[in-house]
Amino acid sequence: MARKAKIDRRTISIYCARCKTLLYKYHKGGRGGLVKCFVERIVEDRTGGDLTCPQCEQKFARLKLIGGRPAHKIIQGKVYTKGMSRR
């Protein structure tokens, strides 16, 4: 019988790089860097869903379909994260 793989999922905070405003709380899976945020994994969205920072109005992501699921494709350098483990 096959063993179930342990899912490495944790909640991270995603902030605007320009004004340090909290944008999302997100359930991140895996160990890699933040490239995309699947919409169904976003726990708390403080942007209103328009993919711009509510304070400085900088665009930080684009809406894409990845594997048939809607996702926010992060523009690198526009956000930083807290809660990710670096190995």
Side-chain angles (χ1 to χ4, degrees):
M1 182 174 244
R3 289 177 30 178
K4 282 191 172 182
K6 181 183 174 197
I7 298 173
D8 181 23
R9 196 170 281 176
R10 63 206 164 278
T11 303
I12 63 170
S13 299
I14 302 171
Y15 296 88
C16 176
R18 182 185 289 174
C19 66
K20 316 285 191 264
T21 303
L22 178 64
L23 302 171
Y24 292 146
K25 293 222 180 225
Y26 179 70
H27 283 301
K28 172 86 168 77
R31 295 185 183 191
L34 185 69
V35 177
K36 60 189 170 287
C37 294
F38 287 108
V39 174
E40 70 264 9
R41 289 190 190 174
I42 296 173
V43 178
E44 182 182 337
D45 185 2
R46 295 191 178 185
T47 65
D50 61 355
L51 305 178
T52 59
C53 176
Q55 190 163 353
C56 68
E57 298 182 1
Q58 170 179 260
K59 186 171 175 118
F60 65 89
R62 295 180 184 93
L63 188 62
K64 296 279 186 181
L65 281 178
I66 299 174
R69 296 167 31 196
H72 297 170
K73 184 86 163 89
I74 301 296
I75 301 169
Q76 297 301 308
K78 302 287 184 174
V79 299
Y80 71 93
T81 61
K82 288 185 181 176
M84 289 182 57
S85 61
R86 300 282 181 201
R87 293 185 188 216

